[in-house]
Amino acid sequence: MEEANSRAYQIGLQSDCIIKLEKRAGENRYQRHFKASSASALLNGMAVLIRDYAETLNLSVVEVLSVLAVVLTMPTIQEKNRESEDQ
């Protein structure tokens, strides 16, 4: 197990990940840009954001993910995501 963790850590060190998110006041859309050397590098980047967000709010990661799951499955959010993807 320790060897696998060490290997995963080394692979992570060699990965690139850029996550850029911007929303300006008065706009209802987010400008987003994702660039990563692999899908796992991007997923790790998102995990870092979620962990930092949980720590900032003094919540557990599970609590943050629970709220996120509810927000992502709200019908109004799903409809806006579909509209955004269609444009």
Side-chain angles (χ1 to χ4, degrees), residues 41-66:
L42 182 57
L43 190 58
N44 285 336
M46 291 189 296
V48 167
L49 292 174
I50 291 168
R51 281 194 303 268
D52 287 353
Y53 182 73
E55 186 177 319
T56 299
L57 296 178
N58 199 27
L59 296 172
S60 73
V61 171
V62 171
E63 290 171 308
V64 170
L65 290 173
S66 297

Side-chain angles (χ1 to χ4, degrees), residues 13-69:
L13 284 177
Q14 298 171 8
S15 299
D16 291 325
C17 180
I18 298 171
I19 299 173
K20 183 177 178 182
L21 182 65
E22 184 177 354
K23 183 197 170 297
R24 298 184 186 270
E27 295 180 1
N28 65 351
R29 299 185 72 185
Y30 287 85
Q31 299 297 319
R32 55 205 177 270
H33 172 76
F34 302 106
K35 183 177 179 183
S37 57
S38 67
S40 64
L42 182 57
L43 190 58
N44 285 336
M46 291 189 296
V48 167
L49 292 174
I50 291 168
R51 281 194 303 268
D52 287 353
Y53 182 73
E55 186 177 319
T56 299
L57 296 178
N58 199 27
L59 296 172
S60 73
V61 171
V62 171
E63 290 171 308
V64 170
L65 290 173
S66 297
V67 172
L68 185 58

